[in-house]
Amino acid sequence: MWLELLLASTLGLVIYWFVSRDNEETLPLGDGWWGPGSKASTREDESIRPFKVETSDEEIEDLHQRIDRFRATPPLESSRFHYGFNASYLKKVVSYWRNEFDWRKQVEILNQYPHFKTKIEGLDIHFIHVKPPQLPSGRTPKPLLMVHGWPGSFYEFYKIIPLLTDPKAHGLSDEHVFEVICPSIPGYGFSEASSKKGFNTVATARIFYKLMSRLGFQKFYIQGGDWGSLICTNMAQMVPNHVKGLHLNIAFMTKNIYTLTPLLGQRFGRFLGYTERDIELLYPFKEKVFNSIVRESGYLHIQATKPDTVGCALNDSPVGLAAYILEKFSTWTNPEYRDLEDGGLERKYSLEDLLTNIMIYWTTGTIVSSQRFYKENMGQGVMVHRHEGMKVLVPTGYAAFPCELLHVPEKWVKVKYPKLISYSYMERGGHFAAFEEPKLLAQDIRKFVSLAELQ
């Protein structure tokens, strides 16, 4: 017992020394060229062009023909979602997609917000830019950049946007009214993919900073989950004077000594600063952390090593693509959904919304380029990138959703984000926060901004 206390005390002192060092280091802004061939000697076209999502009879006919040729594999008895996407439920999804889903109608819904494209570092960058329909007298909107991840898209934000741009019409206070910009990560959806190796989150952060500058924003808020969290973190590390505040719903802690402390056991949790809620979400550690990571990370290893191989199959089969992506919307929303025959997909989402996200990948042919993002960011290993060991010195807010893939306690977040001013245990929700729980996320963003503006 005394030996355990001594070890815990020593580790606590090491942690205190580690987290008390606030280094003012920033990421170099740099520059890049990711388009095909060599960079032209002429100045890049910086115009911002309106863009519209379109479809055609040929596109829909090709989709239907491929769906009709789908060859199903019967699932094992009582396997539910433990082996991946259950083929019996997949037949229902496929039938709805083929016979009821109206892609033309969804294209109209996608076009309800203004879309644009602009060339940055050789790539055509797609984004939506939504301004408030009305503003209180004498007020200006707060610019907010929201960045998606994989296997999501800009469409994840369609239900949260009106809560941020027109809060009063949705029962919220108009204390904070936002102007929302949602870009597509290059290689995702309607943003052009890099033609060169090495395009990672740092390059994306720089491009999105240039986008915000091109739109005329000198200071702005940023928000992200999944890859969007890391992209926004890199942006805050790169141009902290331009970022008024950073809000995240997941954080990556690759160089954080605190991540070792759960191994000391549950009974030392309170001594090390964990709350009762942290302990509930982290323990039993083997099941809630170790086993969970093993169960849910197979895709990551494939995409971080040889993304093009599996990508060949996914880019050729719409049903295969849907199964691969929709499985994530099951177990990443709630790990207990793997025990259900239908994966619980329709408990939080509609098939219409889920298939709209799939169609963005299918019609643009971007599943391979989206998967390459893992190779570019993780192919060299972990803890090899400069930004992983850097702190983020801008006001930060964190929304801890209980069904996120890995719970990150406030103590962990503060190591990398020492200016954490808001940390919230969310009532419910998982990995796809904006898509699943738009009102909860919007309320937490608003709470964070209120605190940031008092700084």
Side-chain angles (χ1 to χ4, degrees):
M1 175 67 179
W2 288 108
L3 179 60
E4 291 173 330
L5 285 172
L6 178 62
L7 288 171
S9 300
T10 303
L11 183 58
L13 289 171
V14 172
I15 290 170
Y16 175 79
W17 173 81
F18 184 83
V19 303
S20 63
R21 300 175 302 151
D22 283 353
N23 193 333
E24 297 287 340
E25 183 183 15
T26 59
L27 273 178
L29 182 60
D31 201 3
W33 176 263
W34 306 100
S38 302
K39 184 177 181 179
S41 57
T42 56
R43 183 181 176 89
E44 189 170 53
D45 177 14
E46 296 185 356
S47 64
I48 296 172
R49 313 179 311 276
F51 171 77
K52 189 175 181 180
V53 182
E54 296 179 336
T55 187
S56 64
D57 291 339
E58 292 75 18
E59 183 176 73
I60 295 171
E61 183 180 352
D62 175 71
L63 170 71
H64 288 170
Q65 288 175 354
R66 290 170 184 266
I67 289 175
D68 290 341
R69 292 197 299 270
F70 166 56
R71 183 174 60 179
T73 302
L76 295 173
E77 294 177 4
S78 303
S79 59
R80 292 161 289 181
F81 264 59
H82 287 271
Y83 283 69
F85 206 100
N86 186 284
S88 294
Y89 178 64
L90 183 60
K91 289 179 181 178
K92 176 188 174 181
V93 175
V94 169
S95 175
Y96 175 85
W97 197 2
R98 176 64 174 86
N99 301 309
E100 298 179 56
F101 179 76
D102 187 344
W103 176 230
R104 291 188 184 280
K105 173 192 163 190
Q106 293 309 109
V107 165
E108 291 178 8
I109 290 173
L110 289 177
N111 286 323
Q112 74 181 5
Y113 295 133
H115 293 247
F116 302 90
K117 283 192 175 185
T118 188
K119 281 278 187 183
I120 304 178
E121 297 189 12
L123 300 178
D124 230 3
I125 304 301
H126 162 261
F127 62 99
I128 57 174
H129 185 177
V130 187
K131 298 180 180 181
Q134 56 187 1
L135 274 170
S137 178
R139 299 268 295 281
T140 56
K142 298 172 172 65
L144 172 64
L145 177 77
M146 303 188 78
V147 185
H148 67 88
W150 188 92
S153 65
F154 66 92
Y155 184 62
E156 288 180 71
F157 301 117
Y158 266 50
K159 287 182 172 61
I160 197 173
I161 285 172
L163 305 180
L164 297 168
T165 59
D166 195 12
K168 201 163 187 179
H170 295 86
L172 300 172
S173 164
D174 62 1
E175 177 188 3
H176 302 297
V177 181
F178 297 92
E179 181 173 347
V180 179
I181 300 91
C182 301
S184 295
I185 297 171
Y188 288 67
F190 301 106
S191 277
E192 185 179 357
S194 173
S195 295
K196 312 228 172 1
K197 296 188 293 183
F199 186 85
N200 57 17
T201 59
V202 175
T204 308
R206 182 178 63 242
I207 284 176
F208 287 173
Y209 164 64
K210 290 181 178 180
L211 171 64
M212 294 300 280
S213 296
R214 191 170 293 182
L215 292 171
F217 302 118
Q218 290 304 306
K219 287 184 177 291
F220 44 86
Y221 290 98
I222 53 181
Q223 199 284 329
D226 197 87
W227 282 126
S229 167
L230 189 50
I231 292 165
C232 289
T233 292
N234 292 159
M235 194 182 302
Q237 293 168 324
M238 188 180 292
V239 288
N241 292 333
H242 294 276
V243 176
K244 294 183 70 175
L246 165 68
H247 186 278
L248 306 173
N249 51 275
I250 194 172
F252 301 99
M253 301 286 146
T254 50
K255 283 188 177 180
N256 189 333
I257 197 167
Y258 255 115
T259 57
L260 300 175
T261 59
L263 298 174
L264 290 172
Q266 185 171 344
R267 60 178 170 167
F268 285 108
R270 295 177 193 84
F271 178 79
L272 294 168
Y274 295 140
T275 66
E276 289 291 339
R277 186 61 174 145
D278 291 332
I279 291 170
E280 287 176 14
L281 294 169
L282 285 172
Y283 293 98
F285 184 80
K286 182 180 178 182
E287 173 57 29
K288 292 193 175 179
V289 178
F290 181 78
N291 289 350
S292 176
I293 289 173
V294 170
R295 263 195 308 267
E296 298 299 332
S297 61
Y299 83 99
L300 187 149
H301 186 70
I302 292 172
Q303 293 175 192
T305 53
K306 299 179 179 180
D308 286 27
T309 305
V310 68
C312 288
L314 300 177
N315 198 45
D316 189 60
S317 168
V319 178
L321 177 68
Y324 192 76
I325 288 179
L326 293 183
E327 178 234 304
K328 307 298 182 279
F329 281 88
S330 167
T331 51
W332 292 7
T333 296
N334 188 324
E336 294 180 0
Y337 286 175
R338 68 180 182 274
D339 294 326
L340 303 174
E341 293 291 340
D342 62 357
L345 275 175
E346 294 175 75
R347 293 191 174 194
K348 289 295 186 76
Y349 315 105
S350 69
L351 287 181
E352 190 172 64
D353 282 338
L354 290 169
L355 289 171
T356 297
N357 182 62
I358 299 299
M359 288 295 288
I360 290 171
Y361 280 89
W362 176 256
T363 58
T364 59
T366 51
I367 187 58
V368 176
S369 52
S370 73
Q371 292 177 150
R372 286 175 182 162
F373 208 52
Y374 285 79
K375 173 77 169 178
E376 306 298 7
N377 284 287
M378 306 175 74
Q380 298 174 333
V382 296
M383 295 187 288
V384 298
H385 300 289
R386 180 177 177 182
H387 65 81
E388 292 177 289
M390 290 175 57
K391 297 191 177 186
V392 178
L393 301 176
V394 304
T396 303
Y398 191 86
F401 285 86
C403 292
E404 183 53 272
L405 291 168
L406 176 63
H407 174 63
V408 183
E410 184 175 358
K411 289 284 185 181
W412 296 11
V413 180
K414 275 188 173 178
V415 173
K416 189 172 185 69
Y417 305 88
K419 292 190 176 181
L420 183 73
I421 60 172
S422 173
Y423 182 97
S424 306
Y425 294 101
M426 307 305 286
E427 179 183 348
R428 60 186 178 274
H431 187 69
F432 303 99
F435 203 39
E436 179 191 351
E437 296 289 350
K439 189 168 185 179
L440 287 181
L441 183 60
Q443 289 171 333
D444 200 68
I445 292 170
R446 290 162 55 82
K447 182 185 85 168
F448 162 65
V449 170
S450 293
L451 293 171
E453 299 200 340
L454 294 175
Q455 298 291 300

